[in-house]
Amino acid sequence: MTTSAAPAERRVPEAVHRRRWAILGVLMLSLLIVVLDNSILNVAIKTISTPAPVGLGATQGELEWAINAYTLVFAGLLFTAGLLGDRLGRKKVLLAGLAAFGIGSALAAESGSPVQLIVFRAVMGFGAAFVMPATLAVLMNVFEREEQPKAIGIWAGGVGLAIAIGPITGGVLLDHFWWGSVFLINVPIVLLALGLMFWLVPDSRDPNPGRLDPVGVVLSVIGLVLLVYGIIKGGQLADFTDATVLATIAAGLAVLALFVVYEKRSDHPSIDVSYFKNKVFSAAISAIALVFFALMGVTFFSVFYTQSVRGYSPLQTGLLMLPLAAAQIIFAPRARLVVERFGNRATCTAGMLIIAAMLAAFATLETDTPIWLLEVIFFFMGTGMAHIMTPTSVVIMQALPREKAGSASALSNTFRQVGGALGIAVLGSVLSTTYRNGIEDKLSMVPPGLRHTAGESIEATLGIAARSGANGKALVGSANDAFLHAMHVTALGGAAVAVVGAVVVALFLPGRTPAPQEGKEEAELATADH
């Protein structure tokens, strides 16, 4: 590209262009707290499941809802949040979302019951929904097109940083303070982000914003909640043929189908279904959803493996997760270089296959497996994620015009969150069902009234074993054996999902494109992206 063409094509104001990297830093701080919250919660779930006064005595189903209340509200409102950002200004929406997230965090820290925690987590999800799409939309408006892949790579590396900081921060807090401190820590970060955002971040909006779609939002939230509720309920009952479970799942799928039909016919849909006619765009979105399906499911059960079976503390568990995050920090900003060499298809397919192999490796872990093997698994899992998230994010964000950045970001993040919610619900339910089936015949020593509760999770079994004296010691070994078997089955299920993802990206993502001629670089890139 000639030097004389660059000024003519520049669309970012010079004053904004000069401080673009500082703006990216503020956007990453905002993103940090949204991702940090879930990664902190990962090491706290065992503590929260412990009876009062240490925790809240939450059941496995309540823990899944504490995670999914946030995720489902987040996913359900992302489109509306993206449209409001396009209409009202992304900076205003970012500031409002951060404030709501901070208030929800303070309330969650003071929860007196699992139900209160679930409600306040939903408030946090409401705030986060307005933060996440706005960060990417602002990014797309402060960087020129040629710098966007690099900026998105650094942005994706910020997710890895949050995954690294979260478990360690959570572990330190739980070692010294009560469980609510893992939420209260968000408040000072929110205040810092608000101050920096007022100072540095420019406002931007879509000159032709879409109309809001309240009917679509309500249908999507109801459909997702019913579907996830049915899946989690099936896991609690260890019976997916139960009439209530089947009816709830069927109702959820029916409402989601109605949502798709409504969006197709609407003249102002929150999801423009026509985007999915582009196979490359659809494959990239599917890859993101499947990655988070696997990741959220595996982190949910790995915490119980490290803390309940292996006896590590929350801080030690956080440190054990470092390789997962370190790999993303190392490779996410560099993934674009791999894509330039080998193309999107080869890079993402290899990433998916690595994730599938690492999930399958979880099926080899036992009570006495050398812990360094878990570290290797986490590192390669993070490596696989980094080589999927950055390329697919670039494909998605560049597939739509710059003015529709909020919509592209919302789509990307909605499928990420829905994939994560379904990963926790489906893999968590597989874990619950397999665990209950494995431990049920070992609970004869437990009083009849407590047997159902004792079979809900390994934490519930170990809690009752601790109060059962000498008889309880035998139950601990049985609980560990049943959990390991359940974890192996769940991990193989996650691996199968990752293999499906590998097939999707291998079939539909673009391969390596020829090096563009110097004068035609922009046109060639646009063609590759569409």
Side-chain angles (χ1 to χ4, degrees), residues 34 37-38 41 63-78 118 121-126 128-129 221 224-225 228 292 296 413-425:
V34 174
D37 179 70
N38 268 339
L41 186 61
L63 288 174
E64 290 176 38
W65 274 115
I67 297 170
N68 281 340
Y70 175 91
T71 301
L72 291 174
V73 172
F74 189 179
L77 292 176
L78 273 171
I118 290 167
R121 287 275 298 159
V123 173
M124 293 170 69
F126 174 85
V221 172
L224 285 170
V225 169
V228 169
F292 272 79
M296 295 300 286
N413 285 295
T414 295
F415 276 79
R416 181 191 311 226
Q417 296 302 322
V418 170
L422 289 175
I424 291 166

Side-chain angles (χ1 to χ4, degrees), residues 155-484:
W155 181 89
V159 176
L161 181 64
I163 292 172
I165 294 172
I168 296 169
T169 306
V172 170
L173 291 170
L174 291 171
D175 271 6
H176 295 90
F177 305 102
W178 93 115
W179 64 266
S181 61
V182 301
F183 299 111
L184 200 59
I185 190 67
N186 292 331
V187 176
I189 302 175
V190 165
L191 293 174
L192 175 62
L194 285 171
L196 290 172
M197 201 166 292
F198 269 118
W199 178 37
L200 282 172
V201 175
D203 207 354
S204 63
R205 66 184 72 198
D206 185 344
N208 299 298
R211 288 161 57 196
L212 300 182
D213 178 26
V215 175
V217 170
V218 170
L219 287 175
S220 65
V221 172
I222 291 174
L224 285 170
V225 169
L226 285 171
L227 177 61
V228 169
Y229 178 83
I231 294 168
I232 292 176
K233 190 68 177 174
Q236 287 176 332
L237 298 175
D239 182 9
F240 282 89
T241 61
D242 179 84
T244 306
V245 171
L246 290 174
T248 309
I249 292 174
L253 291 172
V255 173
L256 289 174
L258 180 62
F259 166 71
V260 172
V261 171
Y262 178 82
E263 295 298 284
K264 276 186 176 179
R265 296 181 177 179
S266 174
D267 59 358
H268 58 286
S270 31
I271 296 182
D272 189 338
V273 183
S274 66
Y275 295 157
F276 293 92
K277 292 177 182 176
N278 181 331
K279 290 179 181 179
V280 171
F281 181 83
S282 297
I285 285 276
S286 300
I288 282 181
L290 292 171
V291 164
F292 272 79
F293 182 100
L295 177 73
M296 295 300 286
V298 78
T299 51
F300 187 79
F301 67 66
S302 66
V303 169
F304 287 102
Y305 172 71
T306 54
Q307 293 187 40
S308 299
V309 176
R310 301 301 296 263
Y312 289 100
S313 70
L315 176 56
Q316 289 170 326
T317 298
L319 291 169
L320 287 173
M321 289 183 175
L322 260 181
L324 177 70
Q328 290 185 67
I329 294 169
I330 293 166
F331 294 113
R334 295 170 174 81
R336 65 191 174 85
L337 303 175
V338 181
V339 171
E340 287 171 10
R341 177 77 182 272
F342 299 105
N344 281 305
R345 181 188 301 154
T347 304
C348 293
T349 301
M352 275 291 190
L353 290 174
I354 290 170
I355 289 175
M358 293 307 102
L359 282 165
F362 265 97
T364 67
L365 299 178
E366 301 290 346
T367 53
D368 57 353
T369 301
I371 204 65
W372 64 264
L373 285 174
L374 179 64
E375 301 298 87
V376 172
I377 290 170
F378 275 147
F379 183 82
F380 279 103
M381 185 169 284
T383 302
M385 279 192 69
H387 288 91
I388 298 167
M389 296 307 299
T390 301
T392 53
S393 294
V394 172
V395 167
I396 290 164
M397 294 305 292
Q398 293 191 344
L400 300 181
R402 179 191 292 255
E403 294 75 20
K404 301 299 179 185
S407 299
S409 176
L411 272 168
S412 171
N413 285 295
T414 295
F415 276 79
R416 181 191 311 226
Q417 296 302 322
V418 170
L422 289 175
I424 291 166
V426 173
L427 297 182
S429 294
V430 171
L431 188 74
S432 290
T433 303
T434 313
Y435 179 78
R436 184 183 287 282
N437 291 337
I439 196 69
E440 242 171 358
D441 60 346
K442 307 291 193 304
L443 297 176
S444 55
M445 66 184 74
V446 176
L450 294 175
R451 286 176 191 169
H452 184 83
T453 302
E456 281 190 349
S457 67
I458 185 171
E459 266 315 294
T461 309
L462 294 178
I464 288 169
R467 301 194 296 271
S468 302
N471 289 337
K473 291 182 180 177
L475 195 55
V476 171
S478 298
N480 286 342
D481 291 343
F483 178 82
L484 286 170

